Amino acid sequence: MTMQVFEISEGDGPVILGLPHTGIWLPEDVAAKLNDRGRGLDDTDWHIERLYAGLLPGVTTVRALFHRYVIDANRDPSGESLYPGQNTTGLVPLTDFDGNPIWAETPDAAEVERRRLAFHAPYHAALAAQVERVRARHGVAILYDCHSIRSHIPFLFEGTLPDFNVGTNNGATCAPQVAEAVTGVTTAAAGYTHVLNGRFKGGWTTRHYGRPREGIHAIQMELAQSTHLSAEAHPFAYDAAKAARLRPHLSRILHHLAALAPELARKE
């Protein structure tokens, strides 16, 4: 079975949304090699595409349709760890976020390379093309990478994750004004917690594309799934009431970023 591995919605504004982890499609040969736990797809960024839908006119979106267990579109294609010395998952994860094996038949190096070429590379070719298109139009491109994760995962971090986890790789991937535009909203969001460059500092997408001196500003938002799901367990149902409370804050973030683009372009 084959299918398009990504989908694109082109907008005329300066903001691009990356969605590398919302896809749930598994090729038949990959699904056959997963164990029962792996086929549960627990580590999906559930409903993030729905959460962000319609928040910003003119936004461009690039969404991977394959599941992160096929290959993780937000990991370094070399396989190098983004968080050396800390528990994490790799380019093709061998475990889930709880450290449990997900494969009945573990992919070997040749299989990982096959998937890199078939899925990871096309997704990033599409994303890179959109970044260049938007930068050519506006003088800058602002890439906002959309993520979510369960708020309690002892294998990956202690305690409870803040609601808004903003990552700029310690300020390297965007101009300070970009981080300030985002954290200004998260700081003022009553009833929510936030952190900048905490456990999640931005994945490979943010680190790879974020070149502020070249007019490409990248930032990652990792949302705790408790902010928009009924429960952080199967069936990972979307909670419309929670989402309705959260979406205005996300909308303000995206509108602030779009409004910032002309200022950033003037400084290039």
Side-chain angles (χ1 to χ4, degrees):
M1 176 182 178
T2 60
M3 74 173 283
Q4 181 71 20
V5 301
F6 57 84
E7 63 181 16
I8 295 172
S9 175
E10 286 192 357
D12 58 8
V15 177
I16 303 165
L17 302 184
L19 297 102
H21 292 155
T22 64
I24 58 172
W25 178 62
L26 298 170
E28 292 178 0
D29 62 325
V30 173
K33 295 175 182 177
L34 286 164
N35 61 24
D36 288 343
R37 189 172 189 92
R39 284 190 287 271
L41 307 182
D42 286 14
D43 299 331
T44 306
D45 288 13
W46 297 102
H47 308 295
I48 285 294
E49 71 282 7
R50 180 178 178 183
L51 190 65
Y52 281 93
L55 293 183
L56 179 67
V59 73
T60 292
T61 62
V62 182
R63 180 187 176 209
L65 299 177
F66 54 90
H67 194 265
R68 68 188 303 158
Y69 291 167
V70 179
I71 196 163
D72 193 328
N74 200 35
R75 293 293 183 271
D76 190 326
S78 74
E80 182 177 351
S81 175
L82 297 171
Y83 297 100
Q86 300 182 59
N87 286 341
T88 187
T89 53
L91 182 60
V92 171
L94 300 182
T95 70
D96 63 13
F97 286 165
D98 295 310
N100 299 301
I102 58 173
W103 297 102
E105 183 181 337
T106 303
D108 60 18
E111 173 66 7
V112 171
E113 177 63 6
R114 184 190 70 81
R115 295 186 197 178
R116 186 189 70 79
L117 293 172
F119 301 98
H120 191 286
Y123 171 78
H124 281 285
L127 182 56
Q130 292 302 313
V131 168
E132 289 305 314
R133 180 186 67 83
V134 169
R135 181 172 62 166
R137 182 183 181 105
H138 294 278
V140 295
I142 301 173
L143 174 57
Y144 177 100
D145 217 38
C146 308
H147 296 264
S148 73
I149 195 169
R150 286 177 285 138
S151 58
H152 296 273
I153 306 180
F155 181 70
L156 296 182
F157 51 82
E158 295 182 359
T160 302
L161 198 69
D163 298 316
F164 296 106
N165 299 267
V166 182
T168 66
N169 198 23
N170 295 324
T173 66
C174 63
Q177 301 98 304
V178 173
E180 290 163 6
V182 175
T183 58
V185 175
T186 62
T187 301
Y192 292 95
T193 55
H194 65 98
V195 67
L196 173 63
N197 292 312
R199 172 61 179 85
F200 298 99
K201 302 179 188 299
W204 187 76
T205 300
T206 306
R207 301 182 198 197
H208 176 69
Y209 291 95
R211 301 188 297 278
R213 292 183 180 179
E214 300 175 28
I216 304 172
H217 303 267
I219 193 164
Q220 177 174 301
M221 175 65 79
E222 187 90 53
L223 294 169
Q225 291 181 344
S226 56
T227 62
H228 57 283
L229 298 186
S230 297
E232 297 180 328
H234 283 283
F236 295 102
Y238 188 79
D239 188 311
K242 286 183 177 181
R245 180 168 170 255
L246 177 63
R247 276 169 52 86
H249 300 298
L250 299 176
S251 179
R252 279 191 284 275
I253 287 171
L254 298 182
H255 278 82
H256 286 346
L257 291 177
L260 185 60
E263 176 188 340
L264 296 172
R266 284 193 298 270
K267 293 182 178 180
E268 295 305 318

